[in-house]
Amino acid sequence: MTKSLGKQIKKFRLKKGISITRLAQKAKISKGYLSSIESHKTNPSAHMIQKLAKALEVPVEQLLNIQVELLDPEWVELVTQAKEMGINKEEVRAFLAYEAWKHSLKEEV
């Protein structure tokens, strides 16, 4: 899955006609770090994935290539509670996508 994340980032970057230097600037990370993510040498954190998704203007789920399914009522309640605690929708979305991605990595092993 790590390889597909790097491929996804590169795919969206090229699709939008953005250079690696420009995307790194937009995401406020180094060009070398972005290059290592795209070349599958680095496994980025949830925060970094969120920054890259925002810089590419795509949802985190799309970047992680995760199919979003309808949430059950318990998840809806948890998201509602997070909102009440001041955690915004994008942070919740990034966290859930990251956790799903980590889970899928464990299944590949």
Side-chain angles (χ1 to χ4, degrees):
M1 183 67 99
T2 303
K3 286 187 178 183
S4 65
L5 176 61
K7 284 181 186 177
Q8 282 292 99
I9 292 168
K10 189 172 186 175
K11 178 183 93 174
F12 283 110
R13 180 176 63 74
L14 295 174
K15 187 176 177 183
K16 292 178 177 277
I18 302 171
S19 71
I20 196 165
T21 302
R22 181 67 189 122
L23 180 57
Q25 289 170 343
K26 284 181 78 172
K28 296 181 174 82
I29 62 173
S30 76
K31 178 182 169 184
Y33 184 59
L34 177 55
S35 177
S36 70
I37 293 170
E38 284 191 1
S39 62
H40 324 299
K41 294 176 184 161
T42 300
N43 198 6
S45 67
H47 178 69
M48 189 56 57
I49 294 168
Q50 185 177 12
K51 285 175 75 168
L52 288 165
K54 185 174 181 178
L56 287 165
E57 300 173 356
V58 297
V60 171
E61 298 89 351
Q62 199 172 356
L63 195 59
L64 293 174
N65 205 16
I66 295 173
Q67 299 299 317
V68 180
E69 299 172 14
L70 293 176
L71 295 175
D72 66 31
E74 285 182 45
W75 281 104
V76 173
E77 179 61 28
L78 286 172
V79 171
T80 302
Q81 288 174 6
K83 228 172 149 183
E84 290 168 358
M85 293 168 54
I87 301 170
N88 74 38
K89 181 173 61 176
E90 282 304 310
E91 290 170 328
V92 171
R93 176 178 283 140
F95 175 76
L96 292 175
Y98 181 70
E99 287 300 314
W101 176 67
K102 280 191 344 188
H103 181 73
S104 71
L105 287 178
K106 288 178 186 171
E107 288 179 351
E108 288 180 5
V109 175

